[in-house]
């Protein structure tokens, strides 16, 4: 079973509009972290935002916010006031605690966002 | 602060040759990860280390792949012999000590082409 599912291969949004990128996850671990990364065409992986499974409030970082719905196991990324520079591939990822040691990050397949004028 | 440093940025080699990819994690980070990215398979974890010790190498495709972390500031991923299907972008990433709340910080990747 897929641990991280991103159902939108591609999305378009007009400049200055808000856009939501979907992510659902699957885990039986009570403690985990959810992350979003941006990969522009230049190829680097840029960390955007983090949400812990025990966090009561949704995470926000500037124009990025995470709509965390634990019961539905979803962690959607909301980008407000889109800019042309937001055009990139976006990856949702989850880090479980495993056996108590440092654990790996599992990625979804990504959503390619294109911001238009 | 310097980020994760990977070398080389690009590598072109012929099938059968040995390839060594290098990584210097962020100072103070005790976890190091090697990922591979292809169009077909996306981002795959190959292996990760905690305190220089390999924790999970189940993602290493075959015996042709090996990884080492001789100290806290250096890791290598070696492919011997290389094959065209190994062509991909290889990322190294590191993170602070932590169980689930530490983001991974990625290097810029090594684009490997095997002809």
């Amino acid at each position: 079973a897929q641990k991280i599912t991103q159902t939108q291969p591609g999305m378009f949004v007009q400049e200055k509009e808000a856009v939501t990128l979907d992510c659902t996850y699957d885990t039986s671990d009570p403690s985990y972290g959810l992350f979003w990364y941006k990969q522009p065409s230049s190829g680097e992986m840029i960390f955007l935002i983090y949400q812990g499974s025990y966090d009561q409030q949704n995470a926000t970082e500037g124009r990025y916010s995470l709509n965390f719905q634990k019961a539905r196991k979803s962690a959607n990324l909301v980008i407000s006031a889109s800019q042309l520079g937001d055009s990139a591939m976006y990856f949702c990822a989850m880090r479980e605690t495993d056996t108590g040691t440092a654990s790996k990050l599992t990625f979804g397949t990504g959503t390619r966002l294109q911001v238009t004028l | 602060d310097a980020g994760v440093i990977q070398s080389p940025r690009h590598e072109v080699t012929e099938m059968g040759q040995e390839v060594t990819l290098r990584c210097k994690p962020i100072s103070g980070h005790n976890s190091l990860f090697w990922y591979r990215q292809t169009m077909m398979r996306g981002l795959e974890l190959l292996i990760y280390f905690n305190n220089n010790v390999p924790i999970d190498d189940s993602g290493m495709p075959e015996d042709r792949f090996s990884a080492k972390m001789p100290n806290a500031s250096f890791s290598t991923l070696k492919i011997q012999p290389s094959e065209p299907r190994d062509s991909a972008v290889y990322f190294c990433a590191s993170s602070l000590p932590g169980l689930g709340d530490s983001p991974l910080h990625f290097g810029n990747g090594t684009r490997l082409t095997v002809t």
Side-chain angles (χ1 to χ4, degrees):
Chain A
Q2 290 289 328
K3 291 235 174 188
I4 296 285
T5 303
Q6 295 181 255
T7 57
Q8 306 153 314
M11 290 279 287
F12 285 90
V13 64
Q14 268 196 323
E15 197 181 20
K16 299 177 187 171
E17 296 293 309
V19 62
T20 298
L21 306 184
D22 294 342
C23 173
T24 58
Y25 59 92
D26 182 30
T27 181
S28 56
D29 194 332
S31 178
Y32 51 90
L34 297 157
F35 302 81
W36 278 91
Y37 283 81
K38 173 183 178 181
Q39 187 176 41
S41 58
S42 50
E44 68 268 33
M45 294 286 288
I46 302 167
F47 165 65
L48 294 178
I49 194 167
Y50 159 80
Q51 178 85 44
S53 58
Y54 291 120
D55 292 344
Q56 295 296 314
Q57 292 190 320
N58 287 341
T60 60
E61 285 287 347
R63 293 187 298 110
Y64 303 110
S65 61
L66 205 153
N67 184 2
F68 181 45
Q69 298 186 47
K70 193 171 183 177
R72 298 177 66 178
K73 293 190 175 178
S74 75
N76 299 338
L77 177 70
V78 181
I79 305 174
S80 62
S82 297
Q83 301 171 357
L84 294 177
D86 294 334
S87 295
M89 195 77 164
Y90 288 82
F91 291 96
C92 180
M94 178 172 64
R95 194 171 188 187
E96 296 163 291
T97 55
D98 281 348
T99 57
T101 61
S103 60
K104 60 191 177 186
L105 201 62
T106 302
F107 285 88
T109 52
T111 296
R112 184 168 297 283
L113 177 67
Q114 187 70 43
V115 180
T116 61
L117 291 170
Chain B
D1 287 342
V4 176
I5 300 172
Q6 289 187 248
S7 63
R9 286 297 309 274
H10 302 273
E11 177 78 40
V12 180
T13 191
E14 290 185 347
M15 187 172 83
Q17 296 299 305
E18 178 180 295
V19 175
T20 299
L21 311 182
R22 296 173 175 79
C23 175
K24 177 178 169 54
I26 293 172
S27 178
H29 284 194
N30 76 333
S31 297
L32 184 139
F33 304 77
W34 283 101
Y35 283 85
R36 177 171 71 176
Q37 186 177 33
T38 60
M39 289 291 290
M40 291 295 293
R41 301 171 71 94
L43 277 156
E44 304 173 276
L45 177 67
L46 300 177
I47 185 170
Y48 76 97
F49 297 82
N50 191 36
N51 293 321
N52 312 338
V53 176
I55 302 299
D56 183 353
D57 65 355
S58 59
M60 296 286 262
E62 327 174 4
D63 291 347
R64 299 184 296 106
F65 285 70
S66 63
K68 293 182 179 179
M69 192 165 186
N71 57 62
S73 59
F74 184 65
S75 177
T76 58
L77 178 68
K78 187 176 292 186
I79 308 172
Q80 164 65 15
S82 58
E83 297 183 3
R85 59 192 166 125
D86 302 331
S87 296
V89 178
Y90 291 79
F91 286 103
C92 176
S94 68
S95 76
L96 284 166
L99 294 181
D101 59 351
S102 300
L104 272 61
H105 297 267
F106 284 77
N108 286 330
T110 294
R111 182 174 296 276
L112 173 66
T113 304
V114 183
T115 60

